[in-house]
Amino acid sequence: MALRESPELVLKKFQQLVNVTPGGILSKEQLQQFVNSSFSDPGQEFEQWEPQDWTSSPRVLAKISDQKLQAWASDLNAKWKSLGRKIKDDVGARPMFYSQIYVPHPLMVPGGRFIEYYYWDSYWVIEGLLISEMTTTAKGMIKNFLYLVERYGHIPNGGRVYYLRRSQPPFLTLMMDAYLAHTNDTEFLRENIHLLEMEYEFWQRNRSVSITVGDRNHSLNYYNVQIGEPRPESYSKDWELATDLNEDARQELWAELKSAAESGWDFSSRWFLSSPHPISATLKDTKASAVVPVDLNAFLCKTEHLLASFYRILGNTTKAAQFQANLEHRLEAVQAVFWNEAAGVWMDFNLLKKQLNPAFYPTNLAPLWTDCFSDQAAAEKAVRYLERSSALSYKNGLPTSLARTGEQWDLPNAWPPLQHMVIAGLAKSSSPGAKETAFILAQNWIRTNFALYKKYQAMFEKYSVDGDGNPGTGGEYQVQVRPRTEVHRWGGVCVFIESLTRPRGQGQTSW
């Protein structure tokens, strides 16, 4: 919502309104009238934009042998035309009038209630664009993130000024890798590799922690946004959550909520102080900065691997050796700190308890996806871990956790990016059992998404693993249903998983 007048004038009018109101407490009607007169309608900072590189028949469609699935994938591909946006030049020229952070190139918005870009969501958007052969649009979105790194030193959580002091899982280097795999545009890499390194250094400088195991100190990374006050985008919710706390406890809780939001998992029992099954714990027990997450370090492990590889391609052997050394240190740290031999999987480390969190999360398998391991039997051990848990008993997808807390990153919800990480990590293993498990999980996930698409003509950000399958539940907002108009931000994942795991000629499934 853009300001209709200068910030100074709007603030002056608000203060005048408070001063002339008995007790200084505005009624809902007064506040609504002030908002209507001072702010324009949402979305005015964008222009509609239709991508010129869209094609109705990307090659991936021919790889999908089932005709119903192929038609569905074609429907999803058509949604790109309605999700393109360009931020108006006025946002860059007069930023004080807007909450939107300006970026210069067109982009794809998530859809539904989300009309601005978000960081880690965009990795899967870009993957979807690339398999849809929309390389120019994908490159533009990567350029936007590079622009943000150059301007701010990191990539904000999302495209609003109130997200500037926190980030999200670091996927920029992985975005570049995905783009290069489709284009081999090494000149683009050469021009921007210093910005990939700059973002990596943000995490090393601001989000690192040392953990001692035996006589070895290991440097790993965690989410840690030590900024108090309620989140601007959820101000009233945060304020009400902390009403019965003293000032110090309030500020600490608000900082922890921001740390959890930086993870992308806002919110989850994964960040609650009690674990593994915090039935009595609530959002008020969030302590995200006490958790050293497996997946964040797996992402940074992949980043180090890619930066070493990129510098070798560009002929910079000194930098390549530096990042290769960083990678080797990370591999050692991930194994020493996170690996649980008895369980046969990696687990989050709790800094306060000085122990691993034994709870199930799909991210416990994230190192398989990012190749952050050296044990060639790791995939087979991970399959046995899944089989021993109850996670595989849910036929609509892998649950985000096994704790029912009412938070959206917990049971009964299944989130597409987590499905992708697990499925892709198992699928590229040499283990037949891991490949078979990946195929079954992919079939289950496709079936769930397809069934709900037929029912609602829409995709959803999360799905319930309970019963016959429904849109996800819980959290701070209702899951968005937008029949016939918009596909939510993870829509392309279904096509990506289908193309990744289903060989041509495999037996047909009845849909």
Side-chain angles (χ1 to χ4, degrees):
M1 298 173 71
L3 292 172
R4 297 184 186 275
E5 301 172 294
S6 71
E8 295 79 12
L9 186 56
V10 171
L11 180 58
K12 181 179 179 180
K13 287 184 175 181
F14 182 75
Q15 290 171 336
Q16 290 174 341
L17 181 60
V18 170
N19 291 338
V20 300
T21 301
I25 300 176
L26 304 184
S27 66
K28 183 177 180 179
E29 291 74 20
Q30 284 179 298
L31 189 58
Q32 186 65 61
Q33 185 177 7
F34 171 79
V35 169
N36 291 341
S37 64
S38 302
F39 296 86
S40 61
D41 293 337
Q44 298 301 305
E45 61 269 54
F46 295 105
E47 298 173 355
Q48 286 289 130
W49 172 81
E50 187 167 320
Q52 297 303 299
D53 55 350
W54 181 82
T55 174
S56 62
S57 54
R59 288 183 294 272
V60 68
L61 296 182
K63 297 179 181 180
I64 303 175
S65 54
D66 184 281
Q67 293 302 304
K68 292 180 181 178
L69 292 181
Q70 187 182 84
W72 174 40
S74 181
D75 285 351
L76 295 183
N77 181 61
K79 300 293 185 181
W80 293 125
K81 294 190 293 182
S82 64
L83 293 172
R85 301 289 187 275
K86 187 179 187 307
I87 298 176
K88 292 179 179 178
D89 291 340
D90 191 54
V91 177
R94 300 192 305 160
M96 71 291 296
F97 282 76
Y98 300 89
S99 66
Q100 177 69 47
I101 301 173
Y102 176 77
V103 289
H105 301 281
L107 52 92
M108 292 290 166
V109 297
R113 74 192 292 269
F114 299 102
I115 63 172
E116 60 279 296
Y117 56 88
Y118 286 84
Y119 181 13
W120 82 309
D121 304 32
S122 296
Y123 171 77
W124 283 274
V125 172
I126 288 168
E127 281 280 19
L129 289 169
L130 290 170
I131 66 168
S132 299
E133 300 173 28
M134 298 171 64
T135 55
T136 301
T137 301
K139 184 178 184 178
M141 289 188 67
I142 296 171
K143 283 183 174 180
N144 285 339
F145 289 122
L146 293 166
Y147 169 88
L148 292 171
V149 173
E150 189 165 37
R151 182 173 181 184
Y152 300 110
H154 71 285
I155 298 175
N157 182 136
R160 299 290 174 181
V161 293
Y162 43 75
Y163 290 138
L164 277 171
R165 300 185 71 181
R166 67 181 194 251
S167 188
Q168 270 195 334
F171 275 88
L172 178 60
T173 301
L174 279 70
M175 293 176 187
M176 178 67 80
D177 180 54
Y179 171 74
L180 292 175
H182 285 261
T183 66
N184 198 31
D185 187 355
T186 53
E187 189 56 35
F188 182 53
L189 172 65
R190 188 183 304 277
E191 292 168 355
N192 294 289
I193 193 167
H194 67 290
L195 295 176
L196 302 182
E197 187 173 344
M198 184 184 294
E199 196 219 7
Y200 170 80
E201 289 300 331
F202 165 82
W203 288 90
Q204 296 303 96
R205 187 174 59 253
N206 299 290
R207 302 289 191 271
S208 64
V209 61
S210 180
I211 300 172
T212 301
V213 179
D215 60 352
R216 296 278 291 173
N217 291 327
H218 301 283
S219 180
L220 290 166
N221 297 82
Y222 66 147
Y223 301 108
N224 186 23
V225 185
Q226 290 306 307
I227 301 168
E229 303 304 324
R231 291 168 297 148
E233 74 275 17
S234 299
Y235 195 95
S236 61
K237 289 184 174 67
D238 287 4
W239 183 268
E240 291 164 4
L241 183 66
T243 50
D244 61 344
L245 301 178
N246 63 41
E247 182 61 20
D248 288 345
R250 278 205 304 252
Q251 295 298 335
E252 180 180 355
L253 173 59
W254 291 332
E256 293 296 344
L257 293 175
K258 291 186 179 75
S259 297
E262 185 172 68
S263 76
W265 285 50
D266 42 343
F267 293 103
S268 171
S269 61
R270 187 181 180 193
W271 315 124
F272 293 174
L273 187 58
S274 302
S275 64
H277 298 294
I279 301 305
S280 60
T282 69
L283 187 59
K284 198 178 292 187
D285 299 295
T286 297
K287 194 72 175 175
S289 68
V291 178
V292 185
V294 170
D295 49 342
L296 172 59
N297 286 279
F299 304 151
L300 287 167
C301 188
K302 187 66 171 181
T303 297
E304 289 159 344
H305 169 79
L306 290 172
L307 287 174
S309 175
F310 290 164
Y311 275 119
R312 279 193 290 270
I313 291 170
L314 298 177
N316 190 330
T317 56
T318 301
K319 283 286 190 179
Q322 173 192 328
F323 281 99
Q324 184 64 35
N326 291 355
L327 171 62
E328 290 170 4
H329 292 150
R330 177 89 56 180
L331 286 165
E332 180 185 351
V334 166
Q335 182 68 18
V337 176
F338 298 129
W339 180 254
N340 184 318
E341 181 61 35
V345 79
W346 302 269
M347 293 175 171
D348 294 342
F349 184 82
N350 190 295
L351 292 169
L352 296 180
K353 296 184 176 184
K354 307 294 184 185
Q355 65 185 35
L356 299 176
N357 179 355
F360 168 82
Y361 307 108
T363 46
N364 290 350
L365 282 72
L368 291 179
W369 182 51
T370 63
D371 300 304
C372 193
F373 64 95
S374 56
D375 181 1
Q376 295 307 304
E380 293 179 356
K381 293 177 181 179
V383 170
R384 291 196 292 271
Y385 167 74
L386 288 173
E387 290 171 345
R388 288 193 300 270
S389 76
S390 60
L392 294 182
S393 67
Y394 296 95
K395 301 308 179 185
N396 299 325
L398 281 175
T400 307
S401 82
L402 300 178
R404 291 185 186 270
T405 64
E407 301 302 334
Q408 64 172 348
W409 288 84
D410 275 319
L411 197 65
N413 291 336
W415 286 80
L418 305 184
Q419 314 300 310
H420 174 217
M421 290 180 202
V422 173
I423 292 169
L426 293 172
K428 64 183 177 179
S429 162
S430 60
S431 162
K435 290 180 178 293
E436 178 63 20
T437 300
F439 180 75
I440 292 170
L441 290 172
Q443 290 281 41
N444 289 346
W445 187 244
I446 299 288
R447 186 178 293 108
T448 298
N449 282 249
F450 185 51
L452 267 72
Y453 188 81
K454 287 194 295 183
K455 182 176 181 179
Y456 293 101
Q457 289 295 296
M459 300 293 292
F460 300 91
E461 62 173 358
K462 54 185 180 281
Y463 293 80
S464 173
V465 298
D466 286 341
D468 295 330
N470 287 292
T473 61
E476 295 186 304
Y477 56 86
Q478 292 298 313
V479 67
Q480 301 297 290
V481 181
R482 297 281 177 173
R484 295 178 299 281
T485 58
E486 300 195 18
V487 56
H488 214 283
R489 62 177 174 264
W490 308 112
V493 173
C494 292
V495 183
F496 183 74
I497 291 176
E498 173 69 8
S499 65
L500 177 71
T501 63
R502 184 172 186 144
R504 285 298 299 264
Q506 185 141 354
Q508 298 294 304
T509 301
S510 175
W511 301 93

